[in-house]
Amino acid sequence: MQIEFALDTFGDVTFGPDGKLKPQDQVIRDVVDQAVLADEVGVDFIGLGEHHRDDFAISAPETVLAAIAAKTRRIRLGTAVTVLSSDDPIRVFQRFSTLNALSSGRAEVILGRGSFTESFPLFGFDLADYETLFNEKLDLFTKLLRAPRVSWSGSTRPPLKNQPVYPTLAAPMTCWIGVGGTPESVMRAVRYDLPMMLAIIGGAPSRFRPFVDLYQRANAETGNAPQPIGVHSPGHVADTDEEARDQLWPHYKALHDRIGRERGWPPTTRAQFDREADYGSLYVGSPETVARKIAATVKALGLSRFEMKYSSGPLPHDRLMRSIELYGTTVIPRAREILA
């Protein structure tokens, strides 16, 4: 199977040339420029995360992806992830089937529950219904993917009977399940016969091998055809290892310390950062270093796609652009060479 090399961003709000944080509207325009460059240098897919916070600019990924679709020709376009629990599955399907039409079949969707919960109170959902909301909405969404008319019933919305939903898909659209690392999440992907995207944001990637084995074994026992497996992890590429680490470190710390304050974690140290870069799931360094580390993860987990989250906290736009350029022109060809 041809390995796909992808990029992800949440539209992290970045520092401008004046040292101040950019307004979110400019960050969104920068993301479009980043995606256009990714298309030009041979990246296979770009995913935009959905968030509802002041440190991430993208709350409506499909709108930004539509702008990207109009300026690109080959790169596949999707999310990382769509928070289905606090959205309407019919509207999500309609937005993505529209994006698929605009992009001539390049749209994908990665569905998940997200690692942040701001969307629940924002859209009037109760966190006590966390599991039910996702399970029922995923059930409805997968039916929409596979038939032009849908019949469905559950507890979260009125039933549907032989309901057409437009625009219909001219061709099948790829849909992934985002998995954070629980057996229950893995089995959900198996149950709905969907590809699995593992979010590995810390620790050795090899510790996720049991989830890969469970997924493959359960798919075989269920009679499903083999499905792609992907990994989403953070990273940054610069000309040298030292330059990459020094560029990323203060912004990585700013991002993790802010989230840590919200969740009661201690501040991130440089030793932790270097340990993740050396042995964990942080792909930072020169093109050769990053390519070798990605190739090792692809082989260890039997991946079909590797997605690097190239944005990290307020890391400036010009450095993100250089990272994308090196990823496409040097990291991807070298990783393919190693894997071959």
Side-chain angles (χ1 to χ4, degrees), residues 62 84 87-98 140-141 144 157 165-167:
E62 304 92 331
L84 187 63
D87 211 329
D88 183 287
I90 293 177
R91 291 298 285 149
V92 172
F93 173 81
Q94 289 176 322
R95 295 197 297 266
F96 273 93
S97 60
T98 301
L140 175 53
F141 188 87
L144 293 165
R157 59 169 297 137
V165 178
Y166 305 107

Side-chain angles (χ1 to χ4, degrees), residues 251-272:
H251 309 291
Y252 179 95
K253 178 175 173 59
L255 171 65
H256 283 256
D257 284 358
R258 170 165 181 167
I259 296 171
R261 287 191 296 271
E262 296 172 0
R263 301 183 181 184
W265 302 341
T268 302
T269 67
R270 180 63 191 250
Q272 291 172 320

